[in-house]
Amino acid sequence: MDVTIFSTLAFERPFLKQANAGRHQLHFYDAALTPETVPLAQGSQAISVFAPDDGSAPLLAQLWAHGVRHVAVRSAGYDNVDLLAAHRLGLGVANVPDYSPHAIAEHAVALMLALARHLRQANEQLRANDFCLDKLIGFELYGKTVGILGVGHIGAVVARILHGFGCRLLGVDVLPNAELTQRYGLEYVPLPALCAQADILSVHTPLTAQTRHLLDDEVLARLKPGAMLINTGRGGVLDTAAALRALASGRLGYLGLDVYEAEKGLFFANHTRDPLRDAAFAQLLTYPNVLVTGHQGYLTQEALTNIATAVVASLDAWALGQPAPHEL
C-alpha cells in the first residue's frame, strides 16, 4: 500500500520504518495536511495524520478525489478529523487508543510533583547561583484529594499511581469503573462536588462538542482556593482565558499543561527565531506557578513503538481489505 504520512516528526521516522519493515511504501512529509499540501497524497491509498493536521470535511473530500481511502491517526484523539464526513465519503479512519496510558499518566504525575515542589523556580534559582529556600516551600501529595476528570485507560493509571502516594481519589466519568472503586477507593461524584473537594484536578477527558471549554469560569470558580489543575488530555477542554482569570484571582494556585487549545501551529516546531504572537500563551508563561510542556506526554520509546506498530497494523488490515483493529 502506498501511504503519505503528514506532520512527520524526525524522531518518529525510525519507529515507523522499523514497524513497517518494508511492507508498505511510506512517503514522509514534515508538512501538515492543509489545503496547500493535500496534493502530496496523490496516488496514495492511505494517509497518516497527527495533531497539527486538518482533517476537515473539505480536505477529506479532496483526499478522496486524489484516491485516498484510509486515514490512520497517530494518536488516541481524533478531534481534528471530521468523522461524519469521512463516513459519508467511505473513508476508513483508525486511531491508536491505547499506545501507552502509562506515558501520559506518568507525565501528569510528574507535572503535579514539579509544581508541588516548585522545581521550575528551584532550577532557575540554582542556575543563578541562588540557593535560598525561602520561596520553595511545597506540599506533599500524601493525604491530598485528587479529582480525575475522565477515568478511562489513562485516568485509571493515574488513579493507581496516586493511590500509591496515599491520595484520596475522586472521579468523573460517564462510565464508572467499579473495579477502581474496589481496588483504589476511587469515589465517583458529579463535577461540582469534585471541584469543591479536590486539591488537584487532573484532566483526561477527550475533546468533544460537549467537553469543549468544559472547564470555564463557572467550573473553575468552584475549585478550592489555591487548587492545582493538570491538563494532559486535550487543550480545548480548558478555556484558557478563564484559566488566566482564575490564576490572576488566586483561585487557581497551580497550573500544569501538556496541551493547549491554540497549540496548532505552535507546538511540535522550533520557533526560537519567531516572535511569540499568542498573547494568552505568553501571559501563561509569566506565572511562576504555571508549568507548560509542549505536548510531550506521549514521548516515550515505548509509546512511539506502540503508535508505529498500531499504525502499520491498520495499514496491513486495509491492504487485505479488512477493517483496521481500531477503526472508528
Side-chain angles (χ1 to χ4, degrees):
M1 182 176 285
D2 196 279
V3 186
T4 297
I5 304 180
F6 289 96
S7 295
T8 313
L9 301 166
F11 57 77
E12 285 186 288
R13 298 189 185 198
F15 292 93
L16 289 164
K17 288 178 179 178
Q18 182 173 358
N20 183 54
R23 296 199 295 279
H24 305 282
Q25 187 68 36
L26 306 182
H27 305 283
F28 296 103
Y29 292 99
D30 299 339
L33 174 61
T34 66
E36 292 72 33
T37 62
V38 69
L40 294 173
Q42 178 73 46
S44 289
Q45 294 82 50
I47 67 165
S48 180
V49 297
F50 192 48
D53 295 305
D54 182 354
S56 61
L59 264 73
L60 294 179
Q62 291 181 56
L63 288 167
W64 178 270
H66 285 305
V68 173
R69 296 296 179 264
H70 309 283
V71 179
V73 183
R74 301 194 305 283
S75 63
Y78 51 90
D79 47 273
N80 58 329
V81 177
D82 189 328
L83 204 55
L84 291 176
H87 289 165
R88 284 196 300 268
L89 289 164
L91 279 168
V93 181
N95 69 335
V96 188
D98 300 317
Y99 54 85
S100 180
H102 303 282
I104 310 298
E106 290 176 10
H107 194 77
V109 175
L111 289 172
M112 293 177 199
L113 291 168
L115 285 166
R117 301 307 295 268
H118 304 292
L119 297 188
R120 174 187 162 192
Q121 298 96 305
N123 182 62
E124 291 173 356
Q125 283 186 206
L126 184 144
R127 292 177 182 277
N129 211 30
D130 178 358
F131 296 88
C132 294
L133 302 178
D134 306 68
K135 298 179 181 179
L136 301 178
I137 300 173
F139 66 87
E140 301 172 6
L141 294 190
Y142 177 80
K144 298 300 184 293
T145 298
V146 180
I148 303 173
L149 178 56
V151 197
H153 294 294
I154 296 170
V157 176
V158 170
R160 185 172 73 216
I161 294 171
L162 293 178
H163 175 74
F165 274 87
C167 296
R168 175 189 174 220
L169 302 173
L170 303 176
V172 172
D173 201 279
V174 293
L175 295 173
N177 184 340
E179 182 183 356
L180 297 178
T181 300
Q182 295 168 2
R183 295 185 66 178
Y184 309 125
L186 186 145
E187 178 186 357
Y188 287 94
V189 297
L191 182 57
L194 183 145
C195 291
Q197 299 179 58
D199 300 296
I200 301 171
L201 172 58
S202 191
V203 182
H204 304 283
T205 184
L207 181 62
T208 65
Q210 291 71 39
T211 63
R212 181 174 293 278
H213 283 190
L214 174 63
L215 301 179
D216 56 11
D217 285 297
E218 181 180 354
V219 172
L220 294 181
R222 296 178 183 270
L223 291 174
K224 292 175 66 173
M228 178 187 293
L229 172 61
I230 303 293
N231 188 7
T232 56
R234 278 292 180 265
V237 176
L238 175 64
D239 182 339
T240 305
L244 285 167
R245 287 189 285 270
L247 285 165
S249 70
R251 171 65 62 174
L252 195 55
Y254 308 85
L255 179 62
L257 302 176
D258 187 53
V259 291
Y260 173 58
E261 65 174 322
E263 68 181 54
K264 197 167 187 176
L266 178 64
F267 287 3
F268 305 110
N270 186 344
H271 297 288
T272 52
R273 297 186 178 183
D274 305 327
L276 185 54
R277 297 186 176 90
D278 188 325
F281 189 76
Q283 191 175 352
L284 280 174
L285 298 182
T286 65
Y287 283 92
N289 54 341
V290 172
L291 180 57
V292 182
T293 54
H295 209 132
Q296 72 177 82
Y298 78 104
L299 202 62
T300 66
Q301 295 179 6
E302 295 83 355
L304 290 169
T305 297
N306 293 339
I307 290 169
T309 300
V311 167
V312 173
S314 294
L315 300 177
D316 289 343
W318 287 328
L320 295 172
Q322 301 172 358
H326 300 292
E327 192 142 347
L328 299 166

